[in-house]
Amino acid sequence: MDKDRNAALFQTGICFKQLLAGFKNTYGWKSFISVAIIAFLIVIVLGEDTFQGFYDTKNGGFALVCACIWIGIFSSIRSICKERDIVKHEYRTGLKIVSYISAHMIFEFIICIIDALIITLIVCNATSSHFLEEGVIFPPAIELFITFFLITFSSDALGLLISSIVYTENTAMTVMPFALIIQLVMSGAIFKLEGIADTISYLTISRWGLDAICATSNVNDMPEAVLDTSLALSEFSATFSNLATLWAILFAFAIAYAILSIIILRITIDK
Amino acid sequence: MICYKCGFNNKEDARFCFSCGVPLDVFTTSNTRRYCKVCGAKMGDNHKFCKNCGAKVLDKDTFNGSAGNNSGPGANTDNAGFSCPHCGAPTRLGASFCKNCGMQISSTSQPSTTQFPTSQPSTTQFPTSQPFETPHPIGAGMPDSQKPLNATKYSRANLSNNIPVGRDDKRLIIDIKEKVVGKGFRKRALLKNIKLEIEQGEFVLILGGSGAGKSTFFKAVRGYSPAKGSIKYGSIDVYKDYEKIKFQIGYVPQENLVRFDNTVYNTLVNAASMKMPLGSPEEAHQGRARDVMKSLGLEKVSNNLVGKVSGGQLRRVCIGAELVGDPNLFFLDEPDSGLDEPVAAGIRQDLKKIADSGKTVLAITHSPDIEANLFTRVIVIAKCDDGSGHLLFTGAPRTCLDFFEVDKLSEIMGKINTKEENGEGLADFFLEKWENQIGN
């Protein structure tokens, strides 16, 4: 058992080295440019009352959540299916799927940290004149960074899951819009959700991500919410327990998607 | 009829040895001939010692093939007194390589008396009076457990009939009765009745038309997709003990399954890290990768991205990624596909070097005439009228040409392919011919 565990860890290291080498050799840093461009496009449309007014904050938060989800899914949705034959061949000669997916998760963890950092820096700079003054647990910039990171990371894991299900890159890119639409429509930002839609929304990253941004921004204490108490939702509570729970849920999504990727890839890799 | 090469006891009217495929008409069973009692080699009337094995023969003996020790490959010949003609170490009758000095034991140094009709100069090159490849250094390429013992320990004077050789047999014994796919009404047999043996160190060519079952044969022999029957490598049953042997099997598929975004060196180091024993140091992985790069001529492109190298180099990278694991059985599916002839020839030569280092190499190819002299065995599989792939021939390349009555190996496809595939549709004819030959 110890030998198997060590072999899995060892293989994880090798797979991670391969991913790093691939990133370096194919100038993977260019993807950060697109992240910066997306963040710039978002801040251009952010209103003057972002982080000050209820609706502007919620809408701006929704746009940022969409950007993070797009960046996360796009980063990984082709990473497994494009080399499926290679993984199959390596699996037949001893590669453990757990090691392979773990290596991807560790690699994407680092990439998502950099992505979140870029987005946070650009957003904070662009909204410096009307940025938040205090956060719930940490300074607001740090809280936003953590939220952006968790949204991007869990979306990245979702992309890995999709990549482990489909067999070709074409199929992956065809599936991607559907995955995005579900996240956008079921976030609760555009439509008031009831019944089955509300139930499904609990399974979306966007819902919990938006709640976290609104909690950090303390939207319940903003003028519109004070005047119209129906706008103040418990999900937006600027409390330690609420924010920590939202972060934990986002992280749990990432872990759940990773585990599902391992299970599905293990079943389908030899077919 | 006893085969003079391997000692296998064939049917009296057999023209080719069932085991090794050499033509049997070199010797006759006339009682006026003298044959060495030990190895079956022809002897002069006044010879007291066999010039092949050195055994002392006093009287006019006829070769007795019914004795248990001389009944052919697989039999326990340790006590037969057969010895290596190079170092004198005892070895079993029919062995192709001496386990002491590593030299090839064969009678191909004897010029063949069989005439091969050719209507035009053949492009196939076969050794005539030349011996086989220059013997590799003793123990080169072999793992420590298989390295030969000190040769001086087994001088001819110290021969004993009872000294065991003491090393595992590395022969690949294939006995596929049937390989079936599908269920119910969709059930069909892809392969049927394929039975043959391959010695360690052979470079085997697998020939067959499209859809004949070559890849299925590979999957069955590798143990990846077991068939009804058995595959044995030495004492290991590949099907029953697959987990034990899977790391001794290397497989290079037709597609180039390596990552293009890594350098050649890193690709091989990573492959070595994955395949070498757990706990081996990083220096060992790097050293192994360097050795493989050197043997395959990839040193100049070691720092190039895999996606930027030429087609031939890319195939070598794929071969190297498997070779770093030091497999004993090496399967290659069309290793020269899409490559021009000189490059393909270079790859064949590299594969031959791999085989010479003691590994058993099996390759499927549709260009069999390129460096055909490098192959030691040809296996021909074809789809017959029953829709299943059958073994039409196994044996030496020269014997294969005789059997199919062609001048080139590539012409065999024209004989066995169906008429829809621009062939003569003679697969069933040759199947019957083969079965008659082996007495089934």
Side-chain angles (χ1 to χ4, degrees), chain A:
Chain A
M1 183 63 175
D2 279 342
K3 275 190 183 173
D4 277 348
R5 201 182 320 132
N6 285 342
L9 279 173
F10 184 68
Q11 287 186 2
T12 303
I14 296 169
C15 292
F16 179 72
K17 263 176 33 182
Q18 283 172 344
L19 289 167
L20 268 184
F23 181 83
K24 180 187 142 205
N25 292 327
T26 56
Y27 305 104
W29 54 265
K30 287 189 283 191
S31 64
F32 297 136
I33 299 176
S34 63
V35 170
I37 291 172
I38 291 171
F40 270 122
L41 288 172
I42 299 292
V43 298
I44 285 172
V45 300
L46 286 181
E48 285 290 326
D49 279 344
T50 304
F51 299 125
Q52 299 299 323
F54 180 89
Y55 291 107
D56 275 1
T57 303
K58 196 174 170 197
N59 293 339
F62 175 68
L64 289 167
V65 165
C66 294
C68 290
I69 290 174
W70 164 265
I71 290 166
I73 290 184
F74 192 74
S75 172
S76 62
I77 198 166
R78 292 179 300 174
S79 51
I80 295 177
C81 57
K82 74 177 179 189
E83 58 176 31
R84 201 176 177 92
D85 286 336
I86 298 174
V87 177
K88 186 173 172 180
H89 181 61
E90 290 177 346
Y91 170 73
R92 288 177 183 172
T93 54
L95 173 70
K96 294 182 192 308
I97 297 297
V98 167
S99 305
Y100 178 71
I101 298 291
S102 302
H104 269 283
M105 289 297 287
I106 295 170
F107 177 74
E108 296 297 339
F109 184 94
I110 297 170
I111 297 296
C112 290
I113 284 181
I114 300 172
D115 288 340
L117 195 62
I118 293 171
I119 297 171
T120 307
L121 285 173
I122 291 173
V123 167
C124 290
N125 258 312
T127 59
S128 57
S129 60
H130 47 88
F131 194 61
L132 300 163
E133 287 176 2
E134 59 176 1
V136 177
I137 307 171
F138 305 113
I142 304 245
E143 285 185 6
L144 282 179
F145 164 74
I146 293 173
T147 302
F148 292 150
F149 163 71
L150 287 171
I151 296 171
T152 313
F153 186 53
S154 49
S155 304
D156 206 297
L158 175 61
L160 272 182
L161 173 62
I162 296 171
S163 196
S164 63
I165 295 172
V166 301
Y167 282 73
T168 63
E169 288 183 74
N170 273 344
T171 313
M173 297 312 287
T174 305
V175 167
M176 189 162 118
F178 293 100
L180 276 173
I181 284 172
I182 292 172
Q183 296 291 330
L184 304 185
V185 168
M186 298 292 180
S187 64
I190 305 174
F191 307 105
K192 190 170 161 51
L193 303 174
E194 289 169 354
I196 185 87
D198 190 46
T199 309
I200 293 173
S201 72
Y202 281 94
L203 298 175
T204 62
I205 298 165
S206 52
R207 179 198 173 114
W208 306 104
L210 182 60
D211 289 350
I213 291 177
C214 291
T216 294
S217 307
N218 196 10
V219 295
N220 286 351
D221 284 348
M222 286 178 181
E224 295 90 336
V226 169
L227 288 174
D228 182 1
T229 54
S230 66
L231 294 176
L233 303 175
S234 59
E235 292 89 346
F236 299 157
S237 307
T239 58
F240 173 86
S241 60
N242 183 45
L243 189 57
T245 303
L246 291 168
W247 284 347
I249 290 171
L250 284 170
F251 190 71
F253 268 113
I255 301 301
Y257 288 143
I259 292 173
L260 277 173
S261 296
I262 293 169
I263 294 170
I264 289 173
L265 193 59
R266 179 66 183 81
I267 294 170
T268 60
I269 192 65
D270 236 349
K271 292 190 179 169

Side-chain angles (χ1 to χ4, degrees), chain B residues 207-230:
Chain B
L207 264 188
S210 298
K214 303 184 296 295
S215 297
T216 309
F217 172 72
F218 259 19
K219 283 183 195 171
V221 175
R222 282 191 290 136
Y224 175 67
S225 178
K228 190 175 166 187
S230 72

